[in-house]
Amino acid sequence: MRTLVGMLAGWLAFSGLVLAQEEDKRTLGHFPLPETGNVIGDTYRVSVADQEQTLIDIARQHNLGYREIVRANPDVSLWIPGEGTEVTIPGRFILPEAERTGIVINIAELRLYYYPEVGDGETSRVETYPIGIGREGFDTPLGVTETTMNIKNPAWYPPESVQREARERGEEAPSVVPPGPDNPLGDHAIILGFDGYLIHGTNQPDGIGMRASRGCIRMFPEDIESIFDRVPAGTQVQIVDQPIKIGLGSGRPLVQVFPPLGEEKHDMSTLADTLARLDQLGSEGIALDYGQLARLLDASSGRIMALSPAPPDEPESQEEDLRYGIYAELAHSGKDRQP
């Protein structure tokens, strides 16, 4: 009897642990909306549990996509990070500049933000999830639309482009792929008002956080399942391209920069636009380190960085003058720009 009681107690404790872990996984990426400002989440570090764990495994466990985890850990092996290796989890985000309602998708950072409706007395919140988007030549469309229908266990009808590519390979594409493990839509699909575009699950989760689809928005299976029943038809969907997001933290301007889609680097016009937005944010009159801002645009690491005040005048090398002098000149002349 004592053995049975002990086994039962152990089973209940284990069940409680599993349920707690599942609850943590469900609520990861859920944040109350900040009372002031537009910054949510935190950056933290974890240790690799064992030799079998990959960086992609860790990304999925911590609500991140492929590019996010790789950018944050450039010196860590993707497939064999090694037991005990410390991994940075970039879980801090600046909210996109968009109406905080329904779904907001920022393709530049490959991330979706969901603002669920809340009842009286409930705290307004935001949920954020990594996504996959259209690869080059199959760009995900920008603009405002809405959800039209939610379909569980959808069938996939390969478009003409897929069938044409199959014929070019000497293969024959099926006219329909039924629900199941071979269906690229996964088990859940949310149809958008943009003709032919969906938010859906996937049978290839390693592609989350990459440009890998034909224009649709892919989510981890567990992520789309978590919002599927809470996104009614008619929910507004805003798809934006904001590679540079700005915010305020402890009174200092914050910048989060991602690489521009389809381009190698941000150009001079990007810097000018960022300076204008910083002025609108309230940093006008504050002398910022424009050289630092230029370096952040060059790096495009996706990490949130606080802009420093301009350093005191000190002699600099000719190389630094050549590289950043034009930025400073543009920055100061930008104060006189007309709106």
Side-chain angles (χ1 to χ4, degrees), residues 3-51:
T3 300
L4 288 174
V5 170
M7 291 174 63
L8 179 60
W11 180 83
L12 289 173
F14 175 76
S15 299
L17 176 62
V18 170
L19 289 173
Q21 291 174 338
E22 290 179 350
E23 180 67 21
D24 287 344
K25 187 173 183 180
R26 284 197 298 269
T27 57
L28 194 63
H30 294 206
F31 305 98
L33 282 177
E35 294 183 3
T36 59
N38 57 350
V39 181
I40 57 174
D42 290 294
T43 295
Y44 55 97
R45 297 177 70 84
V46 299
S47 295
V48 179
D50 56 59
Q51 293 290 350

Side-chain angles (χ1 to χ4, degrees), residues 13-330:
F14 175 76
S15 299
L17 176 62
V18 170
L19 289 173
Q21 291 174 338
E22 290 179 350
E23 180 67 21
D24 287 344
K25 187 173 183 180
R26 284 197 298 269
T27 57
L28 194 63
H30 294 206
F31 305 98
L33 282 177
E35 294 183 3
T36 59
N38 57 350
V39 181
I40 57 174
D42 290 294
T43 295
Y44 55 97
R45 297 177 70 84
V46 299
S47 295
V48 179
D50 56 59
Q51 293 290 350
E52 302 298 321
Q53 196 172 36
T54 70
L55 211 55
I56 293 178
D57 295 332
I58 295 172
R60 186 170 181 176
Q61 291 169 5
H62 292 271
N63 191 42
L64 298 173
Y66 171 83
R67 290 189 180 181
E68 291 173 310
I69 198 75
V70 170
R71 287 196 195 106
N73 300 276
D75 299 323
V76 177
S77 169
L78 180 64
W79 300 112
I80 312 176
E83 183 176 353
T85 299
E86 285 201 338
V87 174
T88 298
I89 305 299
R92 194 176 184 215
F93 310 98
I94 296 176
L95 297 174
E97 293 181 17
E99 184 181 1
R100 295 181 183 179
T101 185
I103 291 173
V104 176
I105 294 168
N106 186 9
I107 62 171
E109 63 175 319
L110 294 116
R111 186 158 281 273
L112 177 150
Y113 295 84
Y114 173 48
Y115 299 89
E117 293 186 3
V118 297
D120 293 339
E122 290 186 297
T123 301
S124 296
R125 65 182 189 274
V126 61
E127 304 171 16
T128 181
Y129 304 96
I131 58 173
I133 63 170
R135 66 178 187 262
E136 189 172 353
F138 294 91
D139 295 337
T140 299
L142 303 177
V144 180
T145 184
E146 64 181 17
T147 63
T148 62
M149 184 184 302
N150 294 9
I151 303 177
K152 191 170 183 179
N153 298 320
W156 180 54
Y157 297 86
E160 172 56 31
S161 60
V162 172
Q163 299 187 38
R164 182 174 61 253
E165 290 178 5
R167 289 193 296 268
E168 291 173 353
R169 296 192 303 268
E171 303 172 0
E172 184 176 350
S175 58
V176 60
V177 178
D182 296 328
N183 191 316
L185 301 183
D187 295 332
H188 301 83
I190 300 174
I191 301 177
L192 302 180
F194 291 144
D195 188 30
Y197 292 93
L198 303 82
I199 302 172
H200 61 79
T202 180
N203 62 348
Q204 296 180 325
D206 287 354
I208 299 300
M210 301 174 65
R211 298 189 66 182
S213 78
R214 290 177 175 269
C216 290
I217 295 94
R218 296 178 179 177
M219 300 180 70
F220 282 128
E222 62 272 19
D223 289 347
I224 190 167
E225 183 178 6
S226 75
I227 69 170
F228 184 79
D229 291 326
R230 297 184 290 124
V231 177
T235 298
Q236 178 174 285
V237 178
Q238 304 169 77
I239 306 179
V240 300
D241 180 11
Q242 296 179 9
I244 301 173
K245 299 189 294 180
I246 61 175
L248 280 176
S250 301
R252 294 178 63 185
L254 304 175
V255 178
Q256 188 175 23
V257 183
F258 300 90
L261 295 179
E263 300 177 25
E264 292 297 323
K265 296 288 184 181
H266 293 288
D267 57 20
M268 294 291 291
S269 64
T270 305
L271 177 63
D273 176 68
T274 305
L275 292 171
R277 291 167 59 200
L278 285 166
D279 287 350
Q280 294 173 3
L281 186 68
S283 61
E284 186 172 7
I286 301 175
L288 299 174
D289 185 342
Y290 296 108
Q292 179 200 18
L293 177 57
R295 289 188 290 271
L296 291 177
L297 295 182
D298 282 345
S300 298
S301 68
R303 297 187 65 180
I304 295 179
M305 302 295 292
L307 290 180
S308 302
D313 292 335
E314 293 180 357
E316 296 180 343
S317 68
Q318 287 187 341
E319 180 181 353
E320 288 292 312
D321 282 338
L322 286 173
R323 186 175 181 190
Y324 298 118
I326 186 65
Y327 289 110
E329 180 181 345
L330 175 61

